[in-house]
Amino acid sequence: MPIKIYNTLSRKKELLQPLEENHVKLYVCGITSYDYCHIGHARSALVFDMVVRYLRYQGYAVTFVRNFTDVDDKIIARAAEQGVEPVVLAQRFIHEFYTDMDELGVLRPDIEPRATEHIQEMISLTRDLIDKGLAYPAGGDVYYRVGKFADYGKLSGRNLEDMQAGARIEVNAQKEHPMDFALWKKAKPGEPKWASPWGEGRPGWHIECSAMSRKYLGDAFDIHGGGKDLIFPHHENEIAQSCGASGKSFANIWMHHGFVTIKDEKMSKSLGNFLTIRDVLRQYPAEVLRLFIFSTQYRNPLDFTENALRDARTGLDRIYECLAMVASLPDGREGEASIVLKKDRKKLLNLKDRFDQAMDNDFNTAQALGFLFDAIKVMNKIGRLLPDVPAAQDVELLQSAGNTVQEVSDILGVAGRDPQQYVEGKKKKLLASIDISEEEINRLIRQRDEARKKKDWAASDVVRDQLLAHNIELHDGPEGTSWDVKS
RNA sequence: GGCGACGUAGCCAAGUGGUAAGGCAGUGGUCUGCAAAACCAUUAUUCAGCGGUUCAAAUCCGCUCGUCGCCUCCA
């Protein structure tokens, strides 16, 4: 099945047709490492993690490059505040980033280039642009001449005139045009600097992605991704640089994911409404966060609420509980009649196809999850209806559906733990949170049983309420009374 | 001011021309001494509003209202 991806450049869904047969080359803009990462960064990492996993599952070889911006104004400013060297600060937060990514179970990209290790490539790209008349040095800086690049504004759907009308850009006397942007910045005292044909300085932000994507993926590659906020100016400028220098096309498909919002407003440092990844991970396991992120299609905004996270946790429990049920199924017997309805059997057999279809349609994880939960509902129903000696074909159906659930969950990076251990582990964790011993619970249950035998319901209910006060709930079943910690 | 996205049940969210997936919550049922839990079933004559195109529209077109984003560093 062909995979369709929404391309920001054409504003349409397009067929993924890799330049190289069966090999997808993907470049994603990574973080500027000067602080802990927030949930928005987690969405970016998780979305592309899912994309890479899905493409590989569909048989593509994927070369995935994601950079680190480790020299930049914000890093320099923050380092100065803290009285450390910028490189030290950048290195520290790259380390913190890895801690978060590992906790989230994000697969490492194949190549993770750092800006400071590619200064020569940036200088040479800048020189190419000057040679072509697309850039000019001015007072130790080098600027890109946007007016010379005909397609400038094509990605973000703007033109130079409109942008100037509402521009809040400080006028820089050195620039020929207010929208010209820096490829190279002259060093100020005390800042990190490298030698260049234009004097000591450091690269501009946009040039690093052009230089590093060219080095590792070539002039043209398949997919370039990032958050919607990078469309302008970052990606627009990358296109101007890369296409300008190579005279060829650059990335074929531009993928941009939506923001994480809080109370429907973009999460950002300036608004002060951001949550770091570790803030959230303290309260919810990574798999819950993943399920939350994938509960909406990647291009839509995603509002962060306690309620949404709780829903995600309930959903994760459902997946694990279903898988645990399948794992504890008895052996079936050949020749027994099936109790499974034809339409339910079909639903289970079609799960993989439906999942793939949703994912092929611009990675519609929300729809894919809908199909997954639909199948789980059917599996639970069958599991409950199954007689003590079930038909072999019914057991096989559930086991095969369980395998499919496991397989598609892996693509989303959820349900990676042993389901029976998960269910037990959850119980243990709840057990640790109660203030009563198991002996005491069992003693009270025996006491209640005595009362119940005498049909002394009042006394029986007193015990039940007593246990409930300790968050213990009782289940009276045909085989006696069991108990659970209320979640 | 320019450009763009979005508006589907109490909440979240699919659906992109053929008569509204899924989840959470709610309601009913099974079970129970009564409960709880679990499971089963069920929940939008209707898709912000108004017009238009069409045999047929949540889906296409136009206008209105509302929300958000980009135009400055930002995932």
Side-chain angles (χ1 to χ4, degrees):
Chain A
M1 278 293 280
I3 296 176
K4 280 187 294 179
I5 303 176
Y6 182 85
N7 189 353
T8 306
L9 197 56
S10 63
R11 288 163 186 79
K12 288 193 301 243
K13 285 179 193 170
E14 291 178 11
L15 242 44
L16 173 66
Q17 291 173 302
L19 293 165
E20 209 175 287
E21 181 84 31
N22 249 11
H23 183 182
V24 176
K25 294 181 180 177
L26 167 69
Y27 186 95
V28 174
C29 291
I31 59 157
T32 298
S33 62
Y34 73 108
D35 205 345
Y36 293 105
C37 287
H38 57 64
I39 302 303
H41 297 111
R43 186 178 195 186
S44 176
L46 256 17
V47 162
F48 290 107
D49 185 58
M50 169 276 290
V51 166
V52 169
R53 286 178 194 232
Y54 186 68
L55 291 174
R56 288 189 176 138
Y57 155 87
Q58 287 296 13
Y60 288 101
V62 179
T63 302
F64 175 25
V65 181
R66 185 182 57 208
N67 71 295
F68 284 111
T69 297
D70 59 350
V71 56
D72 156 274
D73 290 343
K74 291 191 296 291
I75 295 172
I76 293 167
R78 182 63 57 88
E81 273 170 34
Q82 301 189 356
V84 295
E85 287 300 309
V87 272
V88 174
L89 184 93
Q91 178 52 47
R92 176 183 159 211
F93 283 107
I94 286 174
H95 178 77
E96 300 292 0
F97 172 80
Y98 278 134
T99 303
D100 290 339
M101 290 303 114
D102 290 350
E103 186 67 31
L104 289 173
V106 172
L107 267 28
R108 294 277 168 105
D110 300 289
I111 306 166
E112 297 182 275
R114 299 181 187 199
T116 54
E117 291 168 3
H118 298 80
I119 303 292
Q120 285 318 309
E121 286 86 345
M122 296 182 218
I123 289 173
S124 114
L125 184 57
T126 302
R127 196 168 11 210
D128 288 351
L129 289 168
I130 293 174
D131 291 346
K132 294 201 165 180
L134 286 163
Y136 54 95
D141 296 338
V142 179
Y143 294 100
Y144 191 96
R145 192 173 268 139
V146 292
K148 273 277 190 178
F149 186 70
D151 280 342
Y152 195 76
K154 199 176 167 193
L155 180 72
S156 55
R158 346 169 165 242
N159 58 59
L160 286 171
E161 294 72 50
D162 291 343
M163 282 189 278
Q164 280 176 84
R168 287 171 284 168
I169 307 158
E170 275 182 53
V171 182
N172 179 337
Q174 300 196 97
K175 291 185 189 176
E176 291 176 6
H177 187 287
M179 295 306 294
D180 288 350
F181 58 91
L183 299 175
W184 187 260
K185 296 176 173 185
K186 182 182 174 172
K188 296 192 190 97
E191 287 184 355
K193 61 185 183 217
W194 288 265
S196 85
W198 315 285
E200 289 186 326
R202 60 191 166 89
W205 176 36
H206 317 296
I207 196 74
E208 52 173 273
C209 291
S210 284
M212 295 189 287
S213 64
R214 176 161 82 166
K215 176 169 181 180
Y216 296 107
L217 298 177
D219 282 326
F221 53 95
D222 303 299
I223 306 173
H224 193 128
K228 273 189 157 80
D229 46 2
L230 295 182
I231 296 172
F232 190 89
H234 188 53
H235 288 163
E236 195 72 72
N237 291 352
E238 277 187 51
I239 292 174
Q241 293 161 348
S242 294
C243 294
S246 70
K248 296 183 217 161
S249 66
F250 182 38
N252 278 343
I253 294 179
W254 288 84
M255 270 182 83
H256 293 101
H257 65 260
F259 302 129
V260 178
T261 59
I262 288 192
K263 293 196 170 70
D264 291 324
E265 276 189 328
K266 182 184 171 183
M267 187 183 287
S268 74
K269 306 241 160 157
S270 50
L271 285 167
N273 62 346
F274 64 93
L275 283 163
T276 64
I277 293 174
R278 48 194 73 180
D279 283 340
V280 175
L281 251 23
R282 257 193 290 276
Q283 254 192 303
Y284 299 94
E287 292 184 306
V288 168
L289 184 57
R290 294 185 85 112
L291 217 47
F292 162 68
I293 299 277
F294 296 136
S295 69
T296 190
Q297 206 265 354
Y298 76 88
R299 281 188 286 126
N300 296 142
L302 177 61
D303 202 41
F304 185 96
T305 62
E306 289 291 317
N307 217 0
L309 271 286
R310 232 178 296 128
D311 284 0
R313 181 159 61 190
T314 309
L316 184 68
D317 288 349
R318 265 173 82 80
I319 298 174
Y320 272 123
E321 279 159 17
C322 175
L323 289 172
M325 177 275 286
V326 171
S328 63
L329 242 31
D331 287 338
R333 185 189 288 166
E334 295 294 339
E336 292 289 330
S338 170
I339 54 131
V340 179
L341 294 173
K342 204 176 264 177
K343 66 164 190 181
D344 286 344
R345 174 179 296 274
K346 200 173 158 194
K347 248 184 187 176
L348 295 187
L349 294 174
N350 282 344
L351 171 60
K352 196 179 151 93
D353 284 345
R354 291 194 296 162
F355 180 88
D356 288 0
Q357 208 169 36
M359 294 293 281
D360 285 344
N361 183 15
D362 200 22
F363 307 101
N364 194 337
T365 52
Q367 189 176 45
L369 281 172
F371 292 147
L372 179 66
F373 283 115
D374 195 29
I376 285 172
K377 186 161 77 171
V378 170
M379 290 168 73
N380 285 338
K381 185 172 107 182
I382 295 169
R384 181 174 158 75
L385 259 35
L386 233 41
D388 290 342
V389 183
Q393 54 170 317
D394 288 355
V395 173
E396 277 159 27
L397 177 70
L398 283 178
Q399 283 167 342
S400 129
N403 288 340
T404 308
V405 167
Q406 190 67 254
E407 192 180 10
V408 302
S409 296
D410 284 346
I411 292 162
L412 304 177
V414 299
R417 286 177 272 173
D418 179 86
Q420 283 166 311
Q421 274 177 19
Y422 175 89
V423 174
E424 278 167 33
K426 207 184 141 200
K427 188 169 177 176
K428 264 188 207 141
K429 207 171 161 191
L430 285 168
L431 212 56
S433 72
I434 56 169
D435 52 356
I436 183 169
S437 69
E438 286 192 57
E439 291 73 36
E440 181 67 3
I441 293 167
N442 288 328
R443 192 186 65 76
L444 285 166
I445 288 176
R446 277 194 300 276
Q447 186 185 323
R448 177 166 172 271
D449 279 344
E450 292 301 311
R452 293 183 75 213
K453 268 180 204 151
K454 291 182 228 155
K455 297 205 190 297
D456 183 354
W457 308 126
S460 159
D461 289 352
V462 165
V463 176
R464 187 168 64 195
D465 290 343
Q466 200 180 338
L467 282 166
L468 199 59
H470 290 283
N471 232 14
I472 302 296
E473 57 194 13
L474 299 181
H475 315 150
D476 294 329
E479 277 134 51
T481 301
S482 62
W483 60 275
D484 230 328
V485 184
K486 201 174 163 184
S487 52

